[in-house]
Amino acid sequence: MPSLLDTGRVGGTLLLTPGVYAPQSDTFLLRDAIEREELPAGAEVLDVGTGSGALALAAARRGARVTAVDRSWRAVITTRLHALLARQRIRVLHGDLLAPAAGRRFDLIVCNPPYVPSPRKRPPRRGAAVAWDAGHDGRAVLDRVCDGAADLLRPSGVLLLVHSALSGVTPTIERLERAGLVAAVARRSTVPFGPVLRSRSDWLERRGLIAPGQDKEELVIIRAHRP
């Protein structure tokens, strides 16, 4: 059964549906970036991997026309329900990452992708870990977003992307720049390890991704725009 989470400005009280990523520190960091971004009147916004729809709601409340995408039917249904409860018009599509929006152009794309380095070489295809596990280097999904986002941005359009520094900040910026965008770190925030990172801290230490005894990670907001 769903439970409830009071997320404040993200969208009031949201349903926490089993199997759907619940808003956490990365969600709130990206929400704040959305709220600081200057948007043209009637801006078109794409929320990639919408999960609960919290970020789609944040953009819709700013008057944007929002399209939200997720590969999970549970997430699609949850986001549609949240949009209905919040009386916001959000187009919610089922599909893999950027594919459902192919051929369209947006003023803003936001994405909180799976980015946690995992002992598993390939990301899982089902289960809760789909929302965070992203291969050995944490970049299985990040790289796809970096490679494809530019084609969906209007001139001067912006991509806001959140991920852990454990996944590599420089590779993200370099990949976005190779795709024709101008990219930089817009914000950094240090947060305590959650249950997932705590459970694999020994593996992360052996890989050299964290220092011995490290119990915090740095989250980054990457802002990239199309000239």
Side-chain angles (χ1 to χ4, degrees):
M1 292 292 292
S3 56
L4 297 176
L5 174 67
D6 186 354
T7 60
R9 289 181 298 151
V10 162
T13 300
L14 298 182
L15 293 171
L16 293 183
T17 307
V20 176
Y21 186 74
Q24 298 180 40
S25 298
D26 48 7
T27 313
F28 304 139
L29 196 66
L30 189 50
R31 172 208 62 191
D32 291 345
I34 292 170
E35 293 181 349
R36 290 194 304 270
E37 194 67 37
E38 292 186 15
L39 296 177
E44 295 278 356
V45 175
L46 175 65
D47 179 15
V48 181
T50 191
S52 68
L55 297 174
L57 285 171
R61 284 192 165 92
R62 293 201 55 195
R65 293 194 291 266
V66 181
T67 300
V69 174
D70 207 289
R71 61 179 288 188
S72 162
W73 274 112
R74 289 188 180 188
V76 168
I77 293 168
T78 299
T79 298
R80 287 175 178 169
L81 177 58
H82 285 151
L84 180 64
L85 293 173
R87 298 183 179 180
Q88 297 291 337
R89 298 185 66 178
I90 298 174
R91 185 184 185 195
V92 190
L93 304 177
H94 176 258
D96 186 38
L97 291 179
L98 303 167
R104 297 180 59 192
R105 297 293 182 270
F106 298 88
D107 301 288
L108 176 65
I109 298 174
V110 299
C111 184
N112 182 3
Y115 54 72
V116 177
S118 167
R120 292 188 285 192
K121 184 176 180 179
R122 292 183 175 85
R125 299 183 62 85
R126 59 182 61 85
V130 167
W132 55 78
D133 276 358
H136 281 346
D137 59 3
R139 302 200 58 88
V141 180
L142 270 171
D143 286 345
R144 294 175 59 200
V145 174
C146 291
D147 292 346
D151 291 339
L152 300 185
L153 286 174
R154 292 173 174 165
S156 299
V158 171
L159 168 68
L160 291 174
L161 181 65
V162 63
H163 68 81
S164 172
L166 297 178
S167 309
V169 177
T170 299
T172 297
I173 292 174
E174 291 178 345
R175 202 160 189 122
L176 289 168
E177 290 178 341
R178 286 198 298 272
L181 302 178
V182 178
V185 176
R187 187 176 175 188
R188 300 175 184 267
S189 179
T190 301
V191 299
F193 281 176
V196 174
L197 286 183
R198 287 198 300 270
S199 70
R200 61 186 60 163
S201 59
D202 289 344
W203 178 81
L204 292 167
E205 186 177 329
R206 290 196 300 272
R207 287 283 314 279
L209 295 175
I210 65 172
Q214 181 176 334
D215 61 359
K216 294 181 175 64
E217 66 172 327
E218 183 180 59
L219 299 177
V220 295
I221 296 287
I222 306 294
R223 184 185 186 274
H225 72 273
R226 182 174 182 178

PDB file of all heavy atoms in Angstrom, residues 23-51:
ATOM      1  N   PRO A  23      11.229  11.060  -3.334  1.00  0.00           N
ATOM      2  CA  PRO A  23      12.063  12.269  -3.313  1.00  0.00           C
ATOM      3  C   PRO A  23      13.070  12.232  -2.165  1.00  0.00           C
ATOM      4  O   PRO A  23      12.711  11.941  -1.026  1.00  0.00           O
ATOM      5  CB  PRO A  23      11.041  13.391  -3.129  1.00  0.00           C
ATOM      6  CG  PRO A  23       9.770  12.838  -3.694  1.00  0.00           C
ATOM      7  CD  PRO A  23       9.787  11.380  -3.354  1.00  0.00           C
ATOM      8  N   GLN A  24      14.337  12.542  -2.490  1.00  0.00           N
ATOM      9  CA  GLN A  24      15.407  12.554  -1.505  1.00  0.00           C
ATOM     10  C   GLN A  24      16.283  13.779  -1.742  1.00  0.00           C
ATOM     11  O   GLN A  24      15.892  14.704  -2.450  1.00  0.00           O
ATOM     12  CB  GLN A  24      16.208  11.250  -1.586  1.00  0.00           C
ATOM     13  CG  GLN A  24      15.364  10.018  -1.273  1.00  0.00           C
ATOM     14  CD  GLN A  24      16.163   8.730  -1.344  1.00  0.00           C
ATOM     15  OE1 GLN A  24      17.312   8.668  -0.914  1.00  0.00           O
ATOM     16  NE2 GLN A  24      15.565   7.686  -1.903  1.00  0.00           N
ATOM     17  N   SER A  25      17.486  13.784  -1.164  1.00  0.00           N
ATOM     18  CA  SER A  25      18.356  14.961  -1.236  1.00  0.00           C
ATOM     19  C   SER A  25      18.610  15.399  -2.670  1.00  0.00           C
ATOM     20  O   SER A  25      18.628  16.602  -2.972  1.00  0.00           O
ATOM     21  CB  SER A  25      19.687  14.668  -0.535  1.00  0.00           C
ATOM     22  OG  SER A  25      19.504  14.378   0.826  1.00  0.00           O
ATOM     23  N   ASP A  26      18.842  14.435  -3.576  1.00  0.00           N
ATOM     24  CA  ASP A  26      19.113  14.815  -4.964  1.00  0.00           C
ATOM     25  C   ASP A  26      17.889  15.462  -5.605  1.00  0.00           C
ATOM     26  O   ASP A  26      18.012  16.420  -6.380  1.00  0.00           O
ATOM     27  CB  ASP A  26      19.616  13.626  -5.781  1.00  0.00           C
ATOM     28  CG  ASP A  26      18.785  12.368  -5.620  1.00  0.00           C
ATOM     29  OD1 ASP A  26      17.713  12.412  -4.969  1.00  0.00           O
ATOM     30  OD2 ASP A  26      19.210  11.309  -6.129  1.00  0.00           O
ATOM     31  N   THR A  27      16.701  14.964  -5.259  1.00  0.00           N
ATOM     32  CA  THR A  27      15.466  15.556  -5.773  1.00  0.00           C
ATOM     33  C   THR A  27      15.342  17.002  -5.325  1.00  0.00           C
ATOM     34  O   THR A  27      15.034  17.900  -6.126  1.00  0.00           O
ATOM     35  CB  THR A  27      14.239  14.774  -5.270  1.00  0.00           C
ATOM     36  OG1 THR A  27      14.439  13.379  -5.438  1.00  0.00           O
ATOM     37  CG2 THR A  27      12.979  15.214  -5.993  1.00  0.00           C
ATOM     38  N   PHE A  28      15.580  17.243  -4.037  1.00  0.00           N
ATOM     39  CA  PHE A  28      15.413  18.586  -3.495  1.00  0.00           C
ATOM     40  C   PHE A  28      16.454  19.547  -4.072  1.00  0.00           C
ATOM     41  O   PHE A  28      16.164  20.719  -4.325  1.00  0.00           O
ATOM     42  CB  PHE A  28      15.496  18.556  -1.970  1.00  0.00           C
ATOM     43  CG  PHE A  28      14.502  17.608  -1.342  1.00  0.00           C
ATOM     44  CD1 PHE A  28      14.872  16.806  -0.278  1.00  0.00           C
ATOM     45  CD2 PHE A  28      13.211  17.504  -1.828  1.00  0.00           C
ATOM     46  CE1 PHE A  28      13.966  15.923   0.290  1.00  0.00           C
ATOM     47  CE2 PHE A  28      12.299  16.628  -1.269  1.00  0.00           C
ATOM     48  CZ  PHE A  28      12.670  15.831  -0.202  1.00  0.00           C
ATOM     49  N   LEU A  29      17.672  19.056  -4.296  1.00  0.00           N
ATOM     50  CA  LEU A  29      18.712  19.895  -4.884  1.00  0.00           C
ATOM     51  C   LEU A  29      18.334  20.304  -6.303  1.00  0.00           C
ATOM     52  O   LEU A  29      18.504  21.467  -6.706  1.00  0.00           O
ATOM     53  CB  LEU A  29      20.028  19.121  -4.878  1.00  0.00           C
ATOM     54  CG  LEU A  29      21.309  19.922  -5.104  1.00  0.00           C
ATOM     55  CD1 LEU A  29      21.557  20.892  -3.959  1.00  0.00           C
ATOM     56  CD2 LEU A  29      22.507  18.971  -5.242  1.00  0.00           C
ATOM     57  N   LEU A  30      17.809  19.359  -7.068  1.00  0.00           N
ATOM     58  CA  LEU A  30      17.415  19.658  -8.437  1.00  0.00           C
ATOM     59  C   LEU A  30      16.164  20.535  -8.460  1.00  0.00           C
ATOM     60  O   LEU A  30      16.044  21.423  -9.311  1.00  0.00           O
ATOM     61  CB  LEU A  30      17.182  18.356  -9.205  1.00  0.00           C
ATOM     62  CG  LEU A  30      16.963  18.455 -10.712  1.00  0.00           C
ATOM     63  CD1 LEU A  30      18.039  19.306 -11.378  1.00  0.00           C
ATOM     64  CD2 LEU A  30      16.928  17.064 -11.335  1.00  0.00           C
ATOM     65  N   ARG A  31      15.255  20.327  -7.536  1.00  0.00           N
ATOM     66  CA  ARG A  31      14.084  21.202  -7.442  1.00  0.00           C
ATOM     67  C   ARG A  31      14.504  22.652  -7.238  1.00  0.00           C
ATOM     68  O   ARG A  31      13.982  23.565  -7.880  1.00  0.00           O
ATOM     69  CB  ARG A  31      13.196  20.768  -6.277  1.00  0.00           C
ATOM     70  CG  ARG A  31      12.035  21.725  -5.971  1.00  0.00           C
ATOM     71  CD  ARG A  31      11.641  21.659  -4.515  1.00  0.00           C
ATOM     72  NE  ARG A  31      12.725  22.056  -3.641  1.00  0.00           N
ATOM     73  CZ  ARG A  31      12.710  21.888  -2.322  1.00  0.00           C
ATOM     74  NH1 ARG A  31      11.679  21.315  -1.736  1.00  0.00           N
ATOM     75  NH2 ARG A  31      13.732  22.291  -1.589  1.00  0.00           N
ATOM     76  N   ASP A  32      15.465  22.870  -6.338  1.00  0.00           N
ATOM     77  CA  ASP A  32      15.929  24.234  -6.081  1.00  0.00           C
ATOM     78  C   ASP A  32      16.545  24.849  -7.333  1.00  0.00           C
ATOM     79  O   ASP A  32      16.384  26.045  -7.595  1.00  0.00           O
ATOM     80  CB  ASP A  32      16.939  24.239  -4.935  1.00  0.00           C
ATOM     81  CG  ASP A  32      16.305  23.905  -3.590  1.00  0.00           C
ATOM     82  OD1 ASP A  32      15.064  23.949  -3.492  1.00  0.00           O
ATOM     83  OD2 ASP A  32      17.055  23.584  -2.647  1.00  0.00           O
ATOM     84  N   ALA A  33      17.256  24.025  -8.122  1.00  0.00           N
ATOM     85  CA  ALA A  33      17.844  24.520  -9.363  1.00  0.00           C
ATOM     86  C   ALA A  33      16.756  24.901 -10.367  1.00  0.00           C
ATOM     87  O   ALA A  33      16.884  25.903 -11.087  1.00  0.00           O
ATOM     88  CB  ALA A  33      18.773  23.469  -9.963  1.00  0.00           C
ATOM     89  N   ILE A  34      15.695  24.118 -10.417  1.00  0.00           N
ATOM     90  CA  ILE A  34      14.568  24.440 -11.296  1.00  0.00           C
ATOM     91  C   ILE A  34      13.960  25.774 -10.905  1.00  0.00           C
ATOM     92  O   ILE A  34      13.635  26.616 -11.756  1.00  0.00           O
ATOM     93  CB  ILE A  34      13.503  23.324 -11.243  1.00  0.00           C
ATOM     94  CG1 ILE A  34      14.041  22.040 -11.867  1.00  0.00           C
ATOM     95  CG2 ILE A  34      12.216  23.760 -11.949  1.00  0.00           C
ATOM     96  CD1 ILE A  34      13.143  20.830 -11.640  1.00  0.00           C
ATOM     97  N   GLU A  35      13.814  25.999  -9.619  1.00  0.00           N
ATOM     98  CA  GLU A  35      13.181  27.220  -9.146  1.00  0.00           C
ATOM     99  C   GLU A  35      14.041  28.455  -9.401  1.00  0.00           C
ATOM    100  O   GLU A  35      13.525  29.563  -9.529  1.00  0.00           O
ATOM    101  CB  GLU A  35      12.841  27.085  -7.659  1.00  0.00           C
ATOM    102  CG  GLU A  35      11.756  26.055  -7.404  1.00  0.00           C
ATOM    103  CD  GLU A  35      11.382  25.933  -5.947  1.00  0.00           C
ATOM    104  OE1 GLU A  35      12.113  26.491  -5.095  1.00  0.00           O
ATOM    105  OE2 GLU A  35      10.360  25.289  -5.658  1.00  0.00           O
ATOM    106  N   ARG A  36      15.364  28.280  -9.509  1.00  0.00           N
ATOM    107  CA  ARG A  36      16.252  29.408  -9.783  1.00  0.00           C
ATOM    108  C   ARG A  36      16.405  29.685 -11.279  1.00  0.00           C
ATOM    109  O   ARG A  36      16.854  30.767 -11.669  1.00  0.00           O
ATOM    110  CB  ARG A  36      17.643  29.145  -9.187  1.00  0.00           C
ATOM    111  CG  ARG A  36      17.690  29.179  -7.669  1.00  0.00           C
ATOM    112  CD  ARG A  36      19.136  29.253  -7.188  1.00  0.00           C
ATOM    113  NE  ARG A  36      19.936  28.162  -7.707  1.00  0.00           N
ATOM    114  CZ  ARG A  36      20.085  26.982  -7.093  1.00  0.00           C
ATOM    115  NH1 ARG A  36      19.457  26.755  -5.948  1.00  0.00           N
ATOM    116  NH2 ARG A  36      20.824  26.032  -7.626  1.00  0.00           N
ATOM    117  N   GLU A  37      16.036  28.718 -12.097  1.00  0.00           N
ATOM    118  CA  GLU A  37      16.233  28.855 -13.541  1.00  0.00           C
ATOM    119  C   GLU A  37      15.220  29.845 -14.135  1.00  0.00           C
ATOM    120  O   GLU A  37      14.034  29.798 -13.837  1.00  0.00           O
ATOM    121  CB  GLU A  37      16.082  27.494 -14.212  1.00  0.00           C
ATOM    122  CG  GLU A  37      16.571  27.432 -15.627  1.00  0.00           C
ATOM    123  CD  GLU A  37      18.078  27.610 -15.734  1.00  0.00           C
ATOM    124  OE1 GLU A  37      18.822  27.117 -14.848  1.00  0.00           O
ATOM    125  OE2 GLU A  37      18.503  28.242 -16.718  1.00  0.00           O
ATOM    126  N   GLU A  38      15.711  30.742 -14.985  1.00  0.00           N
ATOM    127  CA  GLU A  38      14.814  31.647 -15.691  1.00  0.00           C
ATOM    128  C   GLU A  38      14.154  30.893 -16.845  1.00  0.00           C
ATOM    129  O   GLU A  38      14.838  30.293 -17.675  1.00  0.00           O
ATOM    130  CB  GLU A  38      15.583  32.858 -16.230  1.00  0.00           C
ATOM    131  CG  GLU A  38      16.104  33.785 -15.145  1.00  0.00           C
ATOM    132  CD  GLU A  38      16.733  35.040 -15.724  1.00  0.00           C
ATOM    133  OE1 GLU A  38      16.505  35.301 -16.931  1.00  0.00           O
ATOM    134  OE2 GLU A  38      17.422  35.747 -14.984  1.00  0.00           O
ATOM    135  N   LEU A  39      12.828  30.940 -16.879  1.00  0.00           N
ATOM    136  CA  LEU A  39      12.077  30.231 -17.905  1.00  0.00           C
ATOM    137  C   LEU A  39      11.265  31.227 -18.721  1.00  0.00           C
ATOM    138  O   LEU A  39      10.663  32.151 -18.161  1.00  0.00           O
ATOM    139  CB  LEU A  39      11.136  29.203 -17.277  1.00  0.00           C
ATOM    140  CG  LEU A  39      11.771  28.046 -16.510  1.00  0.00           C
ATOM    141  CD1 LEU A  39      10.686  27.165 -15.895  1.00  0.00           C
ATOM    142  CD2 LEU A  39      12.671  27.226 -17.420  1.00  0.00           C
ATOM    143  N   PRO A  40      11.226  31.058 -20.038  1.00  0.00           N
ATOM    144  CA  PRO A  40      10.363  31.923 -20.841  1.00  0.00           C
ATOM    145  C   PRO A  40       8.890  31.606 -20.574  1.00  0.00           C
ATOM    146  O   PRO A  40       8.551  30.534 -20.063  1.00  0.00           O
ATOM    147  CB  PRO A  40      10.755  31.568 -22.273  1.00  0.00           C
ATOM    148  CG  PRO A  40      11.277  30.168 -22.186  1.00  0.00           C
ATOM    149  CD  PRO A  40      11.945  30.066 -20.850  1.00  0.00           C
ATOM    150  N   ALA A  41       8.039  32.529 -20.922  1.00  0.00           N
ATOM    151  CA  ALA A  41       6.598  32.299 -20.767  1.00  0.00           C
ATOM    152  C   ALA A  41       6.190  31.078 -21.579  1.00  0.00           C
ATOM    153  O   ALA A  41       6.584  30.926 -22.738  1.00  0.00           O
ATOM    154  CB  ALA A  41       5.822  33.529 -21.218  1.00  0.00           C
ATOM    155  N   GLY A  42       5.412  30.189 -20.941  1.00  0.00           N
ATOM    156  CA  GLY A  42       4.963  28.993 -21.637  1.00  0.00           C
ATOM    157  C   GLY A  42       6.073  28.020 -21.947  1.00  0.00           C
ATOM    158  O   GLY A  42       5.991  27.266 -22.927  1.00  0.00           O
ATOM    159  N   ALA A  43       7.111  28.007 -21.136  1.00  0.00           N
ATOM    160  CA  ALA A  43       8.265  27.146 -21.383  1.00  0.00           C
ATOM    161  C   ALA A  43       7.858  25.687 -21.493  1.00  0.00           C
ATOM    162  O   ALA A  43       6.970  25.210 -20.784  1.00  0.00           O
ATOM    163  CB  ALA A  43       9.278  27.315 -20.258  1.00  0.00           C
ATOM    164  N   GLU A  44       8.538  24.978 -22.391  1.00  0.00           N
ATOM    165  CA  GLU A  44       8.364  23.531 -22.529  1.00  0.00           C
ATOM    166  C   GLU A  44       9.451  22.845 -21.713  1.00  0.00           C
ATOM    167  O   GLU A  44      10.649  23.087 -21.928  1.00  0.00           O
ATOM    168  CB  GLU A  44       8.469  23.107 -23.997  1.00  0.00           C
ATOM    169  CG  GLU A  44       7.364  23.645 -24.887  1.00  0.00           C
ATOM    170  CD  GLU A  44       6.091  22.809 -24.793  1.00  0.00           C
ATOM    171  OE1 GLU A  44       6.115  21.773 -24.099  1.00  0.00           O
ATOM    172  OE2 GLU A  44       5.103  23.196 -25.425  1.00  0.00           O
ATOM    173  N   VAL A  45       9.043  21.985 -20.777  1.00  0.00           N
ATOM    174  CA  VAL A  45       9.978  21.321 -19.872  1.00  0.00           C
ATOM    175  C   VAL A  45       9.812  19.814 -19.993  1.00  0.00           C
ATOM    176  O   VAL A  45       8.689  19.302 -20.050  1.00  0.00           O
ATOM    177  CB  VAL A  45       9.735  21.762 -18.410  1.00  0.00           C
ATOM    178  CG1 VAL A  45      10.634  20.981 -17.448  1.00  0.00           C
ATOM    179  CG2 VAL A  45       9.984  23.259 -18.255  1.00  0.00           C
ATOM    180  N   LEU A  46      10.941  19.102 -20.009  1.00  0.00           N
ATOM    181  CA  LEU A  46      10.953  17.644 -20.045  1.00  0.00           C
ATOM    182  C   LEU A  46      11.605  17.127 -18.771  1.00  0.00           C
ATOM    183  O   LEU A  46      12.734  17.498 -18.447  1.00  0.00           O
ATOM    184  CB  LEU A  46      11.731  17.148 -21.262  1.00  0.00           C
ATOM    185  CG  LEU A  46      11.928  15.632 -21.386  1.00  0.00           C
ATOM    186  CD1 LEU A  46      10.584  14.925 -21.582  1.00  0.00           C
ATOM    187  CD2 LEU A  46      12.883  15.297 -22.539  1.00  0.00           C
ATOM    188  N   ASP A  47      10.887  16.263 -18.054  1.00  0.00           N
ATOM    189  CA  ASP A  47      11.413  15.615 -16.851  1.00  0.00           C
ATOM    190  C   ASP A  47      11.697  14.158 -17.201  1.00  0.00           C
ATOM    191  O   ASP A  47      10.775  13.369 -17.413  1.00  0.00           O
ATOM    192  CB  ASP A  47      10.394  15.728 -15.713  1.00  0.00           C
ATOM    193  CG  ASP A  47      10.866  15.053 -14.429  1.00  0.00           C
ATOM    194  OD1 ASP A  47      12.068  14.751 -14.314  1.00  0.00           O
ATOM    195  OD2 ASP A  47      10.014  14.840 -13.533  1.00  0.00           O
ATOM    196  N   VAL A  48      12.973  13.803 -17.266  1.00  0.00           N
ATOM    197  CA  VAL A  48      13.397  12.470 -17.700  1.00  0.00           C
ATOM    198  C   VAL A  48      13.602  11.579 -16.480  1.00  0.00           C
ATOM    199  O   VAL A  48      14.407  11.896 -15.605  1.00  0.00           O
ATOM    200  CB  VAL A  48      14.705  12.552 -18.514  1.00  0.00           C
ATOM    201  CG1 VAL A  48      15.117  11.166 -18.991  1.00  0.00           C
ATOM    202  CG2 VAL A  48      14.536  13.500 -19.692  1.00  0.00           C
ATOM    203  N   GLY A  49      12.891  10.449 -16.439  1.00  0.00           N
ATOM    204  CA  GLY A  49      12.940   9.573 -15.277  1.00  0.00           C
ATOM    205  C   GLY A  49      12.215  10.216 -14.112  1.00  0.00           C
ATOM    206  O   GLY A  49      12.763  10.391 -13.025  1.00  0.00           O
ATOM    207  N   THR A  50      10.955  10.519 -14.320  1.00  0.00           N
ATOM    208  CA  THR A  50      10.212  11.382 -13.392  1.00  0.00           C
ATOM    209  C   THR A  50       9.970  10.751 -12.023  1.00  0.00           C
ATOM    210  O   THR A  50       9.804  11.461 -11.033  1.00  0.00           O
ATOM    211  CB  THR A  50       8.878  11.819 -14.023  1.00  0.00           C
ATOM    212  OG1 THR A  50       8.280  12.847 -13.231  1.00  0.00           O
ATOM    213  CG2 THR A  50       7.919  10.643 -14.173  1.00  0.00           C
ATOM    214  N   GLY A  51       9.928   9.428 -11.925  1.00  0.00           N
ATOM    215  CA  GLY A  51       9.685   8.800 -10.623  1.00  0.00           C
ATOM    216  C   GLY A  51       8.335   9.178 -10.060  1.00  0.00           C
ATOM    217  O   GLY A  51       7.291   8.906 -10.660  1.00  0.00           O
TER     218      GLY A  51
END
